[in-house]
Amino acid sequence: MRVYSTLGDAKMKGLDPPTLAQALANGLTLSHSTMPRPILATVHTDALRHNLVRMRAAAGDARIWAIVKANAYGHGIERAFEGLRSADGFAVLDLGEAQRLRSLDWRGPILLIEGIFEARDLELCSRLGLWHVVHCQEQINMLAAHKTQLPHRVFLKMNSGMNRLGFTPERFRAAWTRLNALPQVDDISLMTHFSDADGPIGVDAQLQAFEAVTHDLPGERSLSNSAAMLRHAGALAERSDWVRPGIGVYGSAADFPQHSAADWGLRPTMTLSARLIGVQQLAAGDSVGYGSIFRAEHAMRIGMVACGYADGYPRHCDTGTPVLVSGVRTQLLGRVSMDMITVDLTPVPDARIGSDVTLWGNAVNGAVLSIDEVAHAAGTVSYELMCAVSARVPFAVE
Ligand SMILES: *Cc1c(COP(=O)(O)O)cnc(C)c1O
């Protein structure tokens, strides 16, 4: 007898629902969701592939780091891998993520985008063949003290104005010279990160700061995130050997609401879906949920959805946040609870317990609810929603 930790796991292993039902009848156990609650996150392999092609079209001749930090923006590295394997490399945050990619038999480049955190990380970098960012003097010190067999390939990061990580333009060349003299280092690429590629400030000032200091240094360049690739392709094309798209690959517009994902030709890579588990009839004046913050102006039908903030649905969403019921657009009512939200069933008179609900992504009838719209309603960005789908939500890959 096989034991799967979640329904999502079982699905990932290729059990379709009828087979799964059969397997359950024959004694397969789901270790913590024997009667699964009707909520599911689905990763869309074809959409990942499509978006990567789309981002490649914006990359000129540059190679692509698919950014898979934060567990592939919440999709799961293992679940997203198939859709992303045509990337030229993967950029990760920590050694655990790098190790998982090697376990998937990825032999190509992997970049640690914040570099090492302590000296002993360098051993694993050598063993796993990782390239790593160098953004501070301490990391150079660790490299200088490292007894290495295979010299390291590093990406030296300039702080060109974002003021998070990196050497300031004044200190950049000294850092390069010191790195270049180390026997532990065999190749130095140059990198920076834009703070405003998605907005009105743009990339020009940072680009100038970068160019002024690096124009005569050898090495490959890596500058652009998704927003820079899509919005500033012209200014950056000549200057990029590697681009670093994250959110675009995951089907979301970095500059929403100025542009939508559809405007950029991107498709949702994650659907969060659930079902109605309750229906109520309200009379005029009745209120809904904690704090009674929604009050019906007239008689209406409402539905309870098996999804709440403990699943990662943002609690800051309020009345008016779009939701699809049976693929029909309607709205959230009142406060988001831990395990439930309430939706207006007025536009969906046929809805009943068991009806499909799309919190974001694709509905069964082909309708799409952009995660950007939901994030916007919650006063946040799609990145946060993707990353926040909680551990109790089963995942499927299709
Ligand atoms: C996260 C990250 C990216 C990707 O940014 P998106 O906005 O998701 O495209 C690129 N570069 C660095 C250094 C990052 O940390």
Side-chain angles (χ1 to χ4, degrees), residues 67 69 73 113 157 191 193 225-226 244-247 383:
I67 309 277
K69 65 190 179 192
Y73 287 43
I113 45 174
K157 184 165 187 176
M191 154 180 183
H193 191 46
N225 57 3
S226 303
R244 306 189 304 269
I247 200 68
Y383 301 71

Side-chain angles (χ1 to χ4, degrees), residues 119-353:
R120 65 172 179 190
D121 294 349
L122 288 170
E123 279 154 41
L124 211 52
C125 284
S126 301
R127 190 131 49 83
L128 298 175
L130 310 182
W131 304 359
H132 47 105
V133 166
V134 171
H135 63 75
C136 63
Q137 208 61 54
E138 287 75 4
Q139 288 176 330
I140 302 184
N141 296 344
M142 290 186 242
L143 263 169
H146 183 53
K147 294 184 185 54
T148 188
Q149 304 298 319
L150 300 165
H152 290 232
R153 170 143 186 191
V154 299
F155 277 62
L156 183 61
K157 184 165 187 176
M158 182 188 293
N159 166 16
S160 58
M162 193 183 217
N163 291 313
R164 293 193 318 189
L165 302 180
F167 294 88
T168 57
E170 298 73 41
R171 293 168 166 233
F172 189 83
R173 288 189 80 101
W176 186 91
T177 304
R178 186 166 171 227
L179 264 184
N180 193 42
L182 293 182
Q184 290 89 344
V185 172
D186 75 343
D187 195 288
I188 308 174
S189 302
L190 313 177
M191 154 180 183
T192 196
H193 191 46
F194 297 121
S195 55
D196 288 86
D198 56 333
I201 295 176
V203 301
D204 291 350
Q206 282 186 266
L207 186 57
Q208 265 169 34
F210 181 82
E211 286 289 308
V213 174
T214 60
H215 67 276
D216 59 344
L217 289 178
E220 296 189 328
R221 269 72 169 156
S222 178
L223 308 176
S224 301
N225 57 3
S226 303
M229 291 174 68
L230 294 172
R231 292 170 60 97
H232 304 283
L236 295 164
E238 310 273 282
R239 299 170 165 100
S240 278
D241 298 291
W242 289 91
V243 289
R244 306 189 304 269
I247 200 68
V249 168
Y250 302 104
S252 163
D255 59 353
F256 185 87
Q258 191 186 351
H259 293 99
S260 69
D263 290 341
W264 292 122
L266 302 167
R267 298 189 195 145
T269 57
M270 181 197 282
T271 292
L272 182 63
S273 57
R275 290 183 190 279
L276 291 185
I277 55 166
V279 173
Q280 301 287 345
Q281 179 69 45
L282 298 186
D286 285 350
S287 68
V288 172
Y290 289 116
S292 300
I293 58 170
F294 175 79
R295 211 169 273 280
E297 284 174 10
H298 43 71
M300 66 190 293
R301 265 177 101 230
I302 60 169
M304 256 43 64
V305 182
C307 177
Y309 63 76
D311 300 297
Y313 191 86
R315 189 175 171 282
H316 287 101
C317 286
D318 199 345
T319 301
T321 302
V323 179
L324 307 181
V325 175
S326 304
V328 176
R329 196 174 166 108
T330 180
Q331 59 166 340
L332 181 78
L333 299 177
R335 206 160 262 171
V336 173
S337 303
M338 181 183 284
D339 308 317
M340 276 180 271
I341 60 170
T342 306
V343 293
D344 183 357
L345 296 182
T346 309
V348 216
D350 293 343
R352 52 186 170 73
I353 288 178

